[in-house]
Amino acid sequence: MERVTILPKWAPKQHIRITGPVRSDLKTKRLIPRLQPGDIAVLAHEDIDEMAARGLIQAKVSAVVNTRCSITARYPNRGPLLLLQAGIPLLDMTDLGDDERPDLLDFVQDGDPMTILDRSLYVCDRYVGQAEILTKREIVLRTAIAKQNAAKELENFLENTLQHANKEKSFFLGSLPTLKLRTAIEGKHVLVVVRGSTYQADLRTISHYIKEQKPVLIGVDGGADALLQAGFQPDLIIGDMDSISDHALKSGGELIVHAYLDGRAPGWARIQKLGLHAHKYPAPGTSEDIAMLIAHEAGAELIVAVGTHTHMIDFLEKGRRGMASTLLTRLRVGPKLVDAKGVSQLYQQRMSWTALVCVVLASMLPVAVLAAVNPIIRNILRIIYWQMRLAFS
């Protein structure tokens, strides 16, 4: 329910006015599951990515206030435009030149009433600062600049990838850690689901494949929630365990916590707190890479990947400046891997006019047969016919 704030008489002339309770967090992926419709999301997310924007849109927030720059023009990030296209105002806090003023995230609490009046922000009736209202024109201009910067960003990305690949190659080319899994993988198809762009549509598109082939289902962090939402039970859940719900963790899938090479695993404490059993897998790279490697080493016949990160924008939006581990993983897995990301855009089933006519004729055939053998039906159809003639004559 909208909460009204009493504003001072000197408040500037309004262009927009939005009121609602605040929900805030330094990490957007922790914030999104807590959001309620009508909330004002306060976050610290430089270059808002596509998946974060879609999460905010699905949460039906009334506005987004970012204490960082939503689009720096370093690369063409897709999040800000998606928010505006969904009708959600996006505001970036501006520097007031006051070193004593704390960051907005330092003092707002969940549930505090906030009012956005033009460019001015008020929390609990108190003026807290100015913000820039991002427009579609501004985002288009910054995106054009970002595209001009893409060549330099790609050069940096490649250099970072090659440097890390040289450091990590000994792990990916050597003997990998082994796990005693209760989930049988050898000789089977394996589906690895990552909550990346188009993952929902892709899952719907290959749902028949899942039902027919019954592959081993691996959810990578939030990919386990994606499988459950699509009506499938994950067999394995792999990741840092920082973007997955408690419900998914307790769903019965075998758990593997991705750890650093030195054995530290930030997600391990959460597993222990929930009283769950899990394996620990120390490895560099991303959790989706580890999922493919585990499936490959366990003897999977085919590995199908949905929602994985495959290109520079994907990785930059994920906060990674290179893709060394992904490159090395795909070299090791080789032809076993089928990337189904974006398959929904490749194949969209449409009914042709010929098929539609056939369906209509087929549906009329039983009526015609029934009318031919039943005099009551013939009389009813005759009455309808004459009524139609009278109505249109």
Side-chain angles (χ1 to χ4, degrees), residues 188-383:
K188 296 183 178 181
H189 287 202
V190 172
L191 176 67
V192 177
V193 178
V194 182
R195 198 155 55 179
S197 61
T198 75
Y199 76 95
Q200 291 173 314
D202 292 343
L203 267 179
R204 286 194 297 270
T205 301
I206 65 170
S207 61
H208 291 295
Y209 159 77
I210 299 173
K211 293 172 183 176
E212 290 175 4
Q213 291 293 330
K214 294 181 172 55
V216 176
L217 302 178
I218 300 180
V220 178
D221 276 321
D225 287 289
L227 281 166
L228 290 169
Q229 290 166 7
F232 302 107
Q233 172 64 46
D235 300 298
L236 282 168
I237 298 173
I238 301 174
D240 304 322
M241 310 305 173
D242 62 348
S243 58
I244 180 174
S245 69
D246 287 351
H247 170 67
L249 286 173
K250 296 176 181 178
S251 65
E254 197 166 2
L255 304 178
I256 301 175
V257 179
H258 183 189
Y260 297 112
L261 285 174
D262 60 9
R264 289 179 298 117
W268 192 255
R270 184 179 179 192
I271 298 299
Q272 290 183 316
K273 185 178 179 181
L274 292 172
L276 301 172
H277 175 267
H279 305 276
K280 191 182 290 186
Y281 195 95
T286 67
S287 297
E288 60 195 72
D289 299 330
I290 303 311
M292 294 179 196
L293 287 174
I294 289 173
H296 173 68
E297 296 303 303
E301 180 184 353
L302 186 73
I303 301 171
V304 181
V306 167
T308 53
H309 299 81
T310 55
H311 54 79
M312 182 182 77
I313 302 300
D314 269 352
F315 281 91
L316 292 176
E317 289 199 327
K318 190 175 171 62
R320 301 182 69 88
R321 298 180 180 274
M323 55 178 291
S325 64
T326 297
L327 174 63
L328 294 169
T329 295
R330 289 172 183 257
L331 287 173
R332 178 154 186 156
V333 173
K336 279 187 182 180
L337 179 63
V338 175
D339 200 331
K341 179 179 180 180
V343 69
S344 59
Q345 300 175 45
L346 177 66
Y347 174 71
Q348 294 182 357
Q349 189 172 2
R350 292 183 174 88
M351 181 176 286
S352 65
W353 280 107
T354 303
L356 183 60
V357 170
C358 290
V359 169
V360 172
L361 291 175
S363 64
M364 291 176 64
L365 182 60
V367 177
V369 172
L370 187 60
V373 300
N374 192 316
I376 298 176
I377 298 296
R378 287 201 300 273
N379 289 333
I380 292 174
L381 291 175
R382 190 178 294 111
I383 292 170

Side-chain angles (χ1 to χ4, degrees), residues 160-174 176 261 283-286 289-290 293 320 322-329 332:
N160 184 284
T161 297
L162 294 175
Q163 288 175 8
H164 282 80
N166 191 49
K167 294 177 183 177
E168 298 172 0
K169 65 182 180 182
S170 58
F171 174 88
F172 288 92
L173 299 179
L176 300 179
L261 285 174
T286 67
D289 299 330
I290 303 311
L293 287 174
R320 301 182 69 88
M323 55 178 291
S325 64
T326 297
L327 174 63
L328 294 169
T329 295
R332 178 154 186 156

Side-chain angles (χ1 to χ4, degrees), residues 34-61:
R34 304 194 338 255
L35 290 170
Q36 301 293 326
D39 284 347
I40 296 176
V42 178
L43 43 90
H45 195 143
E46 184 171 278
D47 290 321
I48 296 176
D49 60 272
E50 178 182 351
M51 291 308 300
R54 293 194 184 281
L56 293 165
I57 292 167
Q58 289 175 1
K60 298 180 180 179
V61 296

